[in-house]
Amino acid sequence: MTPGAKNLITDVPGLMVGNASDADLKSGTTVLLAAKPLTASVHVMGGAPGTRETDLLAPDKSVAKIDALVLSGGSAFGLDACSGVVDGLRAQGRGFALGPAIIPLVPGAILFDLLNGGNKDWVDNPYRALGRAAFEAASDDFALGSHGAGTGALTAMLKGGLGSASFVLENGVTVGALVAANPMGSVTTPGDRHFWAAPFEVDGEFGGAGPDSAVGLGRNLDSRKMQAMRALAAGEDLPTERGNTTIAIVATDAALTKAECQRMATAAHDGIGRATVPAHAPGDGDLVFAASTGTRVLASPEAELGQIGHAAALCLSRAIARAVYSARPAEKDLLPCWSAIQT
C-alpha cells in the first residue's frame, strides 16, 4: 500500500470535498460529493450519535445510492447543513427521480462543538448556509486541520480538526478516509508529543515523532477539554462523557454493494480505536460512513474486501493524527495545537 498522489480521500477518482467555516462561530461543515451517486452504508459504534438519513443506508433498505455525505459541527443544529447541500444538488437537478420530483439524498452526522469558545448566540441557524457554501466549494483538493467540520473540534488534550489520508492497494484499488476528530479520548500519548497512530504513519505525514517508548499507557484519562468546557459553562455540572464524537467517511473506487460498504465501515472503526484512547464511549457519537464509486470491479470480492477494510482502518488512523497535526491556533481557543507545544 502506498498513499495516493494527494494523500486525501479525493485520491479516489471522482470524489470531491468541500469545506465551509465560520471563524467567529468556531464551527463548520464538510461535504463529500461525487460525479455520480454513491453506494454507501454506515456503522455506528458511539453511544450518542447525531445523524440524518442514516436508516436508508442499511443493506435491507430499498434506496440503492446517495448523492452526498455531510460531516458537520454544531451538534443537532449542524444537521441542517445537509439541507444546504440538498439545496445545492437540487439546483443542479441532481437526486433521486420520482416522476417529475427530484429528491437529493444526503445522509449526515454531527459532532458537538457548542462549548469551544465560539460565538453561538445566533438568531437563525447558520448551518444550512454553511452546508451550501461547502457544497459550492467542493474540489479534489481541500485543507486539513482547522477547516470545515474540524474548525472547532477538540480532543481530550489538544485541538482536533479535519483529517484525511489514502492508500492505493497492489490490485490498483484506492481507499481513502475523511474524518472530523472531536473525541472524548486523546489522540496523543501523555506528554502530547507522540500520536497513538504513530505505528501507521507514512513518510512523516504527522510529524514523524514515532511511537511512545513508555509502557503502561492508556490508564490516565485526564482531559483538558472537559476542564475548559466546565470553566466556559461557569461551573455548571457537565457530564464527563458528553460533548464528543469522531465522525468519518471511508471511500473506495472498488465496486461494493451496500452490505460490503457496511462491512468496510465496520472494519474502519478499528482505525478510531487505534488512534484515539479511549474510543467508542457511551457519550461519543463515533460513526463511520463507507462509500463506493463502483468504478473498479473486483476479481475476487470476498477475498479483496478484507484488504479494503484493513486499508480503510489504516487510513482512518492516519487521518485522525493528521487532523490534530494540521490544526492551527485561532482566537479564543480553549486548547493548544499540537504544533504550538512542540519544542
Side-chain angles (χ1 to χ4, degrees):
M1 301 181 194
T2 57
K6 295 183 177 69
N7 198 18
L8 299 172
I9 196 171
T10 49
D11 286 321
V12 176
L15 293 186
M16 297 181 294
V17 169
N19 286 328
S21 304
D22 184 319
D24 184 55
L25 189 66
K26 275 192 180 294
S27 189
T29 293
T30 298
V31 59
L32 180 133
L33 301 164
K36 297 180 180 180
L38 298 161
T39 301
S41 193
V42 66
H43 187 62
V44 181
M45 290 190 70
T51 61
R52 169 169 161 160
E53 297 273 38
T54 50
D55 281 354
L56 61 80
L57 298 178
D60 65 324
K61 299 302 184 290
S62 60
V63 171
K65 295 181 182 292
I66 54 94
D67 299 292
L69 291 167
V70 170
L71 308 178
S72 184
S75 190
F77 302 101
L79 292 174
D80 207 30
C82 297
S83 298
V85 176
V86 167
D87 291 343
L89 287 162
R90 183 177 183 273
Q92 294 184 358
R94 296 182 56 183
F96 175 69
L98 192 61
I102 301 294
I103 310 165
L105 300 176
V106 183
I110 48 85
L111 57 81
F112 180 91
D113 59 3
L114 300 181
L115 293 174
N116 66 355
N119 178 12
K120 307 304 194 292
D121 189 24
W122 62 71
V123 175
D124 297 316
N125 188 333
Y127 287 95
R128 186 171 192 141
L130 283 168
R132 181 63 181 265
F135 174 83
E136 299 293 348
S139 167
D140 63 357
D141 199 11
F142 60 97
L144 302 183
S146 305
H147 297 274
T151 300
L154 304 171
T155 75
M157 304 301 284
L158 300 167
K159 280 190 75 172
L162 187 76
S164 190
S166 70
F167 269 138
V168 180
L169 283 55
E170 289 185 8
N171 62 1
V173 166
T174 302
V175 176
L178 177 68
V179 64
N182 183 64
M184 180 187 81
S186 176
V187 174
T188 52
T189 63
D192 302 325
R193 170 68 174 160
H194 300 275
F195 288 94
W196 291 109
F200 313 110
E201 185 176 15
V202 180
D203 298 332
E205 63 192 338
F206 43 89
D212 196 329
S213 62
V215 296
L217 298 172
R219 294 178 292 173
N220 186 334
L221 300 182
D222 287 346
S223 175
R224 292 189 189 112
K225 174 160 76 167
M226 287 309 305
Q227 294 171 7
M229 287 171 62
R230 285 189 176 122
L232 199 63
E236 291 184 27
D237 187 34
L238 295 176
T240 58
E241 75 279 5
R242 299 288 181 176
N244 311 289
T245 286
T246 295
I247 47 177
I249 303 168
V250 292
T252 182
D253 56 355
L256 303 182
T257 65
K258 283 177 74 175
E260 289 167 339
C261 282
Q262 189 178 65
R263 178 48 47 189
M264 179 186 180
T266 302
H269 270 283
D270 287 350
I272 297 178
R274 293 168 184 163
T276 307
V277 178
H280 304 135
D284 273 330
D286 294 348
L287 170 153
V288 179
F289 293 110
S292 164
T293 63
T295 58
R296 185 178 289 271
V297 177
L298 300 178
S300 179
E302 288 189 8
E304 294 174 89
L305 182 59
Q307 186 182 25
I308 291 169
H310 174 56
L314 293 180
C315 286
L316 186 46
S317 287
R318 295 162 54 224
I320 290 169
R322 293 189 80 199
V324 174
Y325 173 75
S326 301
R328 292 296 179 264
E331 188 177 356
K332 298 181 181 179
D333 278 349
L334 297 188
L335 298 182
C337 295
W338 184 89
S339 61
I341 62 174
Q342 305 308 310
T343 57

